[in-house]
């Protein structure tokens, strides 16, 4: 495997990492513009003082309407449902963008996304260090994760998550609302694992492994983040890249 490298945040202007989650589906005709926006945000990094870490989270509740999204998972639908409850929303929908676990918007609304990302970047972020990322026998992905204790203003205990995402995926859609279209997606979440907790008194440092499904791409993003219960506010996030 190639040596993994945590994405740099620049040497001159300090940048705050911000997690941008997009709940999407290949079965939803309103989703391709949001998928394209997420790729644009990832590629251009347009918000000063913010380093965007993005995730495409494909829900499965569109799968019965003529096209089964090959990247959908019930776990993503459940995560979106928890956000719906935590943010006191009337219902869930696609495409929905969640910025740092605190604000939500229609996933194709670029100006609103830029505003929310800008606001999120003004808050301090807890540093996460990923190292020694490597594939092991039977495809578990191993790594070392290190986090200092949380600042005093944070909730007492927060969850440490590690996500495994395909760098890029493409589909030719054969049915449903997007029938006949060629779609592409960036940072497609394939597995999200809770690996521990971190608190204001106790940091987190350990070797962890995450089982990787056989169908993941040859180029993978590893995304690690700290989230308050809820799921709530994202306290820190980082990403790294590795190839099989």
């Amino acid at each position: 495997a190639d040596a993994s490298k945590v994405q740099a945040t620049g040497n001159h202007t300090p940048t705050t990492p911000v997690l941008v989650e997009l709940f999407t589906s290949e079965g939803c005709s309103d989703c391709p513009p949001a998928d394209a926006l997420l790729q644009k945000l990832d590629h251009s990094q347009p918000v000063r003082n913010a380093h965007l870490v993005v995730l495409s989270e494909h829900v499965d509740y569109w799968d019965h309407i003529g096209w089964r999204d090959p990247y959908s998972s019930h776990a993503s639908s459940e995560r979106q449902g928890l956000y719906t409850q935590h943010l006191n929303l009337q219902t869930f929908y696609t495409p929905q963008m969640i910025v740092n676990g605190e604000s939500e918007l229609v996933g194709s609304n670029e100006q609103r996304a830029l505003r929310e990302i800008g606001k999120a970047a003004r808050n301090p972020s807890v540093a996460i260090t990923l190292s020694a990322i490597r594939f092991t026998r039977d495809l578990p992905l191993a790594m070392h994760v290190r986090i200092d204790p949380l600042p005093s203003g944070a909730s007492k205990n927060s969850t440490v998550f590690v996500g495994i995402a395909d760098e890029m995926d493409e589909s030719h859609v054969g049915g449903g609302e997007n029938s006949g279209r060629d779609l592409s997606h960036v940072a497609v979440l394939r597995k999200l694992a809770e690996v521990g907790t971190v608190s204001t008194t106790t940091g987190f440092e350990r070797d962890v492994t995450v089982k990787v499904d056989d169908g993941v791409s040859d180029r993978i993003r590893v995304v690690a983040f700290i989230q308050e219960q809820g799921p709530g506010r994202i306290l820190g996030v980082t990403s790294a890249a590795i190839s099989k």
Side-chain angles (χ1 to χ4, degrees):
D2 293 349
S4 61
K5 182 179 180 182
V6 176
Q7 294 177 358
T9 55
N11 297 324
H12 305 294
T13 304
T15 56
T16 300
V18 174
L19 179 64
V20 179
E21 299 173 76
L22 177 66
F23 291 95
T24 185
S25 171
E26 290 190 346
C28 159
S29 61
D30 291 331
C31 286
D35 297 329
L37 175 58
L38 195 72
Q39 292 179 57
K40 179 180 177 181
L41 294 174
D42 178 63
H43 178 72
S44 64
Q45 296 287 328
V47 180
R48 185 175 177 270
N49 298 340
H51 175 69
L52 306 185
V53 177
V54 308
L55 282 175
S56 301
E57 300 178 35
H58 289 234
V59 299
D60 68 349
Y61 50 80
W62 282 92
D63 283 359
H64 65 285
I65 311 177
W67 177 251
R68 185 188 179 282
D69 185 336
Y71 311 110
S72 66
S73 74
H74 192 62
S76 289
S77 298
E78 289 181 332
R79 181 167 172 81
Q80 185 184 29
L82 291 173
Y83 270 132
T84 301
Q85 296 174 24
H86 185 71
L87 297 172
N88 296 314
L89 304 175
Q90 294 299 313
T91 187
F92 49 86
Y93 63 91
T94 53
Q96 183 184 40
M97 190 173 284
I98 307 282
V99 178
N100 252 14
E102 291 190 290
S103 60
E104 66 89 27
L105 59 134
V106 175
S108 54
N109 189 333
E110 182 171 3
Q111 293 308 310
R112 175 86 188 280
L114 294 175
R115 286 199 304 271
E116 296 299 335
I117 292 165
K119 286 194 291 187
R122 292 196 286 269
N123 296 320
S125 180
V126 178
I128 304 171
T129 302
L130 291 177
S131 59
I133 303 173
R134 63 209 180 276
F135 284 102
T136 59
R137 189 185 300 261
D138 298 325
L139 276 189
L141 193 62
M143 69 202 73
H144 188 77
V145 184
R146 184 182 185 280
I147 306 167
D148 287 335
L150 301 178
S152 57
S155 64
K156 282 189 175 180
N157 284 289
S158 294
T159 304
V160 181
F161 288 92
V162 172
I164 306 300
D166 292 345
E167 174 69 26
M168 184 70 69
D169 284 314
E170 296 180 343
S171 289
H172 179 74
V173 179
E177 293 187 358
N178 290 312
S179 183
R181 300 188 65 173
D182 293 313
L183 303 181
S184 63
H185 318 283
V186 68
V188 179
L189 184 65
R190 305 305 297 274
K191 184 72 170 285
L192 185 62
E194 297 184 21
V195 298
T197 59
V198 61
S199 72
T200 53
T201 57
T202 306
F204 179 93
E205 183 167 11
R206 71 183 65 157
D207 295 319
V208 303
T209 58
V210 179
K211 183 72 169 68
V212 180
D213 294 335
D214 292 339
V216 299
S217 73
D218 290 338
R219 297 170 61 220
I220 291 173
R221 291 192 191 187
V222 181
V223 177
F225 58 91
I226 310 157
Q227 187 161 35
E228 292 182 334
Q229 302 297 323
R233 182 172 51 140
I234 301 294
L235 302 179
V237 61
T238 193
S239 68
I242 187 172
S243 297
K244 288 182 182 176

